[in-house]
Amino acid sequence: MQTNMYLGCNHLSVRFYQHRKKIVDDITLSIHPGEKLLILGPSGCGKSTLISALSGIIPEFLDAEVTGEVVRRERAGVMFQDPDSQFCMLHVDEEIAFSLENRRIPRGKMDEMISDVMDKAGLNIDKRTSIESLSGGMKQRLALACILALDPEVLFFDEPTAQLDPQGRIEIFELLKNLSRQTGQTMVFVEHVLDGCIEWMDRVILLNKDGRMIGSGKPEEVLREFDAEIKEAGIWRPKLFPVKWNDVVENHDHPVSAELTRFIETRSEEHRFVGGNPMIRVEDATIGYGKKAIVQDLNLTIHKGEWISIVGKNGSGKSTFLKSLARLESLRKGKIYFLEKELSKWPDVELYEKAGFVFQNPELQFIADMVFEEIAFGGRQRNWTEEQIQEKTHQLLREFGLEAHRDAHPFTLSLGQKRRLSVATMLLFDQDVLLLDEPTFGQDEKTAKELIKKLKERQAQGTTIIMVTHDMNLVDQCSDKVLLLKNGKAAYYGTPYSLFMNEVLLEDSSLVPPLHYKLVHARKELSLV
Amino acid sequence: MKGNHSWLSSLNPACKLFAHLLVMFMLMAISDFRETLAIWLLAVAIGISIGGWRISYLLKRLLPYFGFFVMIFWMMAAFGKGEETIWSWAWFHVTKESVSHGLTISLRMLGFVTYGLLFTSTTDLTSFIMSLIHQCRLSPKWAYGLLAGFRFIPLFQSELSQMKAAHKIRGYKQKNSWKAFARYSLPLFTQGIRKSERIAIAMEARGFTGSRDRTYYQTTKLAGKDFVYFIGLMVVVFGVWMAGFVL
């Protein structure tokens, strides 16, 4: 083993005691001071375990059988993915001070150090702000400030943006990029979304599902050589990298440029589906929760068989509006008509045979202890015959690829399976409307695509789909209409094409359109110059 | 639990809690309703004068307990035993003794609630925990664990409301509340355990060992005014108690 290794491991294997299989298998890795390393792999491949071993969490705080050698740095900081489960105090300053207290920094020096790391982490807020009131992105900034307060030699990031919306993700990556430029800090990342971080990595390593290292090299090399494996692993591949955006904009003959241009032309000609009879009609509705009104004067009609996307910033009322459509939040004012009958007049039983609602966190909607029973639940409540239940449930298990897991507990499924199950449970009555709250949030590319495919099949059979999402590519590809909520108003309701072509509106609501639209806008700007 | 900017909230939380607990013990020992009333009025007076309470706040917080007050009083007064009948109709039998008992018990309840409220409404949670570390020698391991746990409460609430909504959609009818409790609590517990494991790892990864060998950002100390409040309160309450024996 190299004696002068800065950080790394030599033939490292890790096995958790309750598993028979090694989760990390025979990995040899040497990380140089100042290096930015990105670790990729399918979910469950041991990426997080590798980081835990390198940072010392394993075996110090988590028990596991470790073989091989590990070279660690004495001071390491780790940032985790869940913004809600890495804090233990109530206010921003206390939380940062917690790191300093653990280092036994004298009280007199703390105030200065707290302001210093808050600056570095881009946390321009009052230091007595309560942590609960922060957005996900701000919480991750705070997490960064807390680990910077440890004065670490190495920073580890375990999917730091997995729970953030695209805007928050861009901000965090931008912040880390600047930080790495200023300080030359060594950074080790695990990520499954590559846009925004792969551009400034020095090296990428790829693990397979058995926890073995199958590739290592410069980002563009690994992306090129292991395209199939990366796709299979469900990693959100970069939309442009290694191509540079400026080249695409300036050079009309660039292959990517030509492809995007062709794409936009098909978009402009395409006629979006215009639905059948009105399904949902919203009249002068004001929605909100508690005493606060969030969106006012909503007027719109959703037709049968349409795919509607609802977009807007965090806190713009997207989810609340979606819940109001399923009567899970009551209206402040106005009326909603569901199939030409006032929503509030529908009895529960009938309403939820016609409308299904898929929550953001599938775990909180599971109510049975077997996958089969989970789907059959509604039928049992309605005293269906056994044959009817068997037939319908099996059909749904087949449709969503869950047959093999019919006897499993819903909680033991993988993330993607849980998501599919949560949709399947809402289709037992072949509901006419399916309402989904950020169905692809936190999912990898593969499971997200599978889910969208299933939803498209359902739409083809006449199901109306209404979906809250942050993913603009999804909006562009699938929806017939987009509803944009902004500043308590419906700022736009129409085709995705005209929304994404409207530069002013995009800017005002900080939406980032898909690349082909971005190209059109960039070209326009260029010709003006 | 948040501090307000009153004089009472500037006191040491552990000392304040100890004082209020002692008053509560004395309330338990006092069996005269006039004394109990005086001690309860004292709490209200403290709240308004140095506890930063507004009359509207006081009414809003105590109103539900006035309902209890009336109920407890009526139950004790109308069905209690006693010699000197004041009023009697059908199965109601109000006697002088039962009225006095009813008033004592219901005022005692009100006194407990008001002294408790006096503490919670003027104490910041973090500084309370810190004073448990500094004045009551609580180990940081427990103290910081407790603080981390408090962050779960709002999280639990939002998760519970989402689960209720999900059940409603699926047509789940709540047949008895124990079954419903089991249904909701299992996923909440599993989520809770998972989250607390993650928090524990995050805390340890930031160098937390749970030992007392650390520095503190917030330190709570005992000052002169803490003794003034403590002794003042004791003297007045004890005085009221003793006055009963003399008069």
Side-chain angles (χ1 to χ4, degrees):
Chain A
M1 167 157 205
Q2 294 154 279
T3 46
N4 56 353
M5 194 191 269
Y6 178 72
L7 167 74
C9 53
N10 205 7
H11 297 292
L12 172 75
S13 295
V14 180
R15 185 178 69 90
F16 287 115
Y17 291 116
Q18 66 270 33
H19 296 282
R20 287 176 60 202
K21 219 179 106 217
K22 286 175 186 163
I23 178 130
V24 168
D25 196 358
D26 195 32
I27 288 189
T28 299
L29 180 67
S30 169
I31 301 165
H32 314 298
E35 189 173 11
K36 321 277 172 271
L37 176 77
L38 175 64
I39 303 172
L40 297 180
S43 66
C45 75
K47 304 171 291 215
S48 301
T49 314
L50 181 59
I51 273 202
S52 300
L54 290 172
S55 61
I57 290 177
I58 293 174
E60 235 177 295
F61 314 124
L62 262 180
D63 269 341
E65 184 189 271
V66 180
T67 53
E69 285 170 284
V70 184
V71 178
R72 298 191 182 97
R73 301 312 299 176
E74 202 180 314
R75 296 192 311 278
V78 191
M79 185 162 152
F80 301 93
Q81 60 164 281
D82 184 358
D84 276 321
S85 57
Q86 39 189 326
F87 303 125
C88 59
M89 304 296 278
L90 303 170
H91 299 100
V92 169
D93 58 339
E94 298 163 357
E95 191 62 51
I96 299 170
F98 179 74
S99 295
L100 300 173
E101 292 172 355
N102 293 335
R103 285 174 61 203
R104 293 183 280 282
I105 301 288
R107 174 65 183 89
K109 289 188 181 167
M110 283 187 185
D111 287 318
E112 198 188 325
M113 291 171 97
I114 290 174
S115 334
D116 181 46
V117 292
M118 280 179 73
D119 274 351
K120 274 191 192 156
L123 213 55
N124 307 318
I125 46 172
D126 182 54
K127 60 181 192 167
R128 287 304 292 169
T129 312
S130 96
I131 295 176
E132 213 194 319
S133 68
L134 299 179
S135 67
M138 284 311 248
K139 280 183 185 158
Q140 287 303 64
R141 280 167 193 244
L142 174 59
L144 179 67
C146 291
I147 60 172
L148 287 178
L150 297 170
D151 188 24
E153 296 163 279
V154 196
L155 292 175
F156 293 96
F157 298 92
D158 191 354
E159 304 202 20
T161 67
Q163 310 268 328
L164 304 182
D165 59 43
Q167 192 62 32
R169 175 178 304 132
I170 292 169
E171 283 173 26
I172 290 290
F173 279 146
E174 202 58 33
L175 178 72
L176 293 176
K177 186 169 137 192
N178 290 335
L179 185 74
S180 82
R181 279 222 190 102
Q182 284 161 17
T183 61
Q185 193 113 35
T186 315
M187 292 181 175
V188 182
F189 280 87
V190 166
E191 256 302 342
H192 74 284
V193 181
L194 300 187
D195 268 326
C197 79
I198 192 142
E199 296 87 351
W200 50 284
M201 291 291 125
D202 295 319
R203 181 157 53 126
V204 174
I205 64 168
L206 180 65
L207 308 185
N208 67 5
K209 65 179 194 322
D210 301 317
R212 285 174 166 271
M213 195 155 102
I214 54 171
S216 166
K218 293 222 165 299
E220 49 272 32
E221 289 167 16
V222 173
L223 282 182
R224 198 173 50 235
E225 274 175 55
F226 297 96
D227 188 56
E229 285 86 350
I230 289 175
K231 189 178 175 192
E232 180 58 32
I235 293 160
W236 292 90
R237 286 162 299 161
K239 295 183 192 79
L240 267 181
F241 184 83
V243 175
K244 293 220 165 47
W245 181 238
N246 282 347
D247 294 347
V248 176
V249 177
E250 281 159 20
N251 182 358
H252 286 255
D253 301 325
H254 197 291
V256 176
S257 166
E259 195 190 316
L260 289 177
T261 312
R262 204 166 49 238
F263 204 56
I264 194 85
E265 275 159 10
T266 60
R267 273 296 123 106
S268 63
E269 287 159 7
E270 202 174 349
H271 287 284
R272 290 289 161 133
F273 174 70
V274 182
N277 298 325
M279 192 80 208
I280 294 174
R281 202 149 49 82
V282 181
E283 272 183 9
D284 300 320
T286 297
I287 55 160
Y289 51 72
K291 282 177 190 157
K292 228 172 86 194
I294 302 176
V295 187
Q296 290 175 335
D297 306 325
L298 272 173
N299 280 295
L300 55 100
T301 309
I302 295 168
H303 298 95
K304 189 167 164 48
E306 280 180 325
W307 184 313
I308 311 287
S309 294
I310 306 173
V311 300
K313 282 186 200 163
N314 278 333
S316 60
K318 305 184 297 287
S319 293
T320 314
F321 177 56
L322 196 72
K323 283 182 183 150
S324 305
L325 291 181
R327 217 172 61 190
L328 297 174
E329 289 287 348
S330 48
L331 289 180
R332 305 288 104 182
K333 240 176 70 190
K335 275 176 184 144
I336 294 180
Y337 293 91
F338 184 73
L339 287 170
E340 296 300 335
K341 182 171 158 186
E342 214 179 300
L343 187 65
S344 54
K345 302 236 164 84
W346 283 81
D348 268 357
V349 178
E350 284 176 40
L351 177 64
Y352 297 124
E353 276 174 23
K354 300 221 176 287
F357 192 100
V358 180
F359 290 87
Q360 199 187 93
N361 180 354
E363 277 192 15
L364 293 178
Q365 81 174 72
F366 293 149
I367 54 188
D369 39 23
M370 254 167 65
V371 169
F372 183 89
E373 290 304 319
E374 186 65 48
I375 297 179
F377 190 87
R380 299 227 189 271
Q381 293 282 320
R382 285 166 177 78
N383 299 321
W384 283 9
T385 63
E386 191 59 33
E387 291 140 50
Q388 206 181 353
I389 288 177
Q390 289 284 345
E391 189 200 320
K392 193 70 208 167
T393 308
H394 273 293
Q395 183 216 319
L396 282 165
L397 283 171
R398 255 197 316 279
E399 184 179 342
F400 286 88
L402 293 164
E403 276 170 308
H405 306 280
R406 53 166 291 174
D407 296 327
H409 194 285
F411 281 26
T412 63
L413 299 178
S414 75
L415 210 66
Q417 288 163 345
K418 274 182 195 156
R419 174 48 78 207
R420 292 207 298 274
L421 176 60
S422 70
V423 177
T425 58
M426 290 301 164
L427 290 170
L428 185 70
F429 310 114
D430 291 317
Q431 276 89 332
D432 295 329
V433 183
L434 202 53
L435 302 138
L436 304 109
D437 195 356
E438 302 196 38
T440 58
F441 183 80
Q443 304 263 315
D444 62 40
E445 189 177 38
K446 205 170 128 203
T447 51
K449 285 208 163 132
E450 276 170 18
L451 179 73
I452 295 306
K453 206 174 127 221
K454 297 284 175 234
L455 291 177
K456 281 206 156 166
E457 284 167 18
R458 278 284 167 172
Q459 190 200 10
Q461 292 166 28
T463 309
T464 311
I465 289 173
I466 306 170
M467 177 177 73
V468 167
T469 186
H470 281 295
D471 184 340
M472 292 305 139
N473 283 303
L474 193 57
V475 172
D476 185 46
Q477 281 160 26
C478 302
S479 41
D480 303 308
K481 275 184 191 158
V482 198
L483 171 65
L484 168 66
L485 297 180
K486 202 185 86 187
N487 300 338
K489 288 264 163 19
Y492 177 87
Y493 184 55
T495 62
Y497 181 80
S498 358
L499 171 66
F500 291 133
M501 292 302 270
N502 186 338
E503 216 170 345
V504 182
L505 199 55
L506 290 175
E507 190 117 337
D508 279 356
S509 37
S510 51
L511 291 178
V512 183
L515 284 180
H516 37 281
Y517 296 101
K518 230 168 127 186
L519 183 66
V520 175
H521 299 316
R523 288 263 167 80
K524 209 186 284 168
E525 217 161 274
L526 211 63
S527 65
L528 285 178
V529 172
Chain B
M1 267 168 81
K2 277 193 190 116
N4 51 16
H5 293 285
S6 60
W7 187 78
L8 203 55
S9 75
S10 72
L11 295 183
N12 183 292
C15 174
K16 187 164 54 182
L17 180 67
F18 185 58
H20 289 185
L21 285 177
L22 276 180
V23 174
M24 288 180 189
F25 273 116
M26 284 197 251
L27 270 176
M28 277 194 271
I30 294 170
S31 55
D32 183 280
F33 71 87
R34 278 158 301 198
E35 293 168 22
T36 315
L37 177 69
I39 294 172
W40 173 65
L41 285 175
L42 177 66
V44 175
I46 294 175
I48 291 171
S49 60
I50 55 172
W53 283 1
R54 295 217 181 88
I55 303 291
S56 58
Y57 173 84
L58 186 69
L59 287 178
K60 202 173 84 191
R61 280 310 178 87
L62 285 186
L63 209 58
Y65 295 101
F66 275 116
F68 276 120
F69 173 82
V70 172
M71 265 165 21
I72 294 174
F73 170 69
W74 179 245
M75 277 192 299
M76 296 293 293
F79 304 104
K81 292 208 161 52
E83 301 290 305
E84 292 176 60
T85 304
I86 298 174
W87 180 72
S88 168
W89 180 78
W91 51 82
F92 301 119
H93 183 67
V94 184
T95 65
K96 210 172 167 188
E97 289 88 343
S98 67
V99 166
S100 148
H101 276 143
L103 276 177
T104 312
I105 299 289
S106 46
L107 280 168
R108 193 181 285 167
M109 186 273 306
L110 218 49
F112 267 66
V113 169
T114 314
Y115 277 98
L117 188 64
L118 205 51
F119 177 74
T120 54
S121 68
T122 60
T123 309
D124 178 63
L125 182 63
T126 316
S127 55
F128 173 50
I129 302 280
M130 287 303 146
S131 84
L132 287 182
I133 295 180
H134 296 295
Q135 271 76 47
C136 304
R137 309 293 296 163
L138 182 71
S139 143
K141 185 167 82 182
W142 291 101
Y144 284 90
L146 216 61
L147 269 175
F150 275 111
R151 301 199 55 248
F152 275 18
I153 297 170
L155 226 56
F156 269 157
Q157 280 167 345
S158 70
E159 285 181 357
L160 185 66
S161 69
Q162 196 193 316
M163 271 165 40
K164 280 188 174 160
H167 277 71
K168 187 177 147 194
I169 289 182
R170 305 287 294 283
Y172 171 72
K173 279 175 217 77
Q174 187 177 327
K175 285 181 192 103
N176 78 48
S177 52
W178 269 110
K179 270 199 178 143
F181 174 75
R183 206 164 251 293
Y184 294 135
S185 57
L186 182 72
L188 280 184
F189 275 131
T190 46
Q191 293 257 0
I193 290 170
R194 224 180 291 165
K195 273 210 157 64
S196 56
E197 258 176 3
R198 278 193 225 137
I199 290 182
I201 290 177
M203 284 166 77
E204 286 179 317
R206 281 163 65 193
F208 182 67
T209 54
S211 75
R212 299 193 73 90
D213 181 23
R214 59 189 285 111
T215 53
Y216 294 97
Y217 178 62
Q218 282 159 308
T219 336
T220 52
K221 287 201 180 76
L222 281 173
K225 56 184 176 181
D226 296 310
F227 292 105
V228 170
Y229 179 70
F230 184 84
I231 293 169
L233 188 65
M234 287 306 115
V235 165
V236 175
V237 174
F238 200 70
V240 169
W241 189 8
M242 286 305 119
F245 287 103
V246 178
L247 299 175

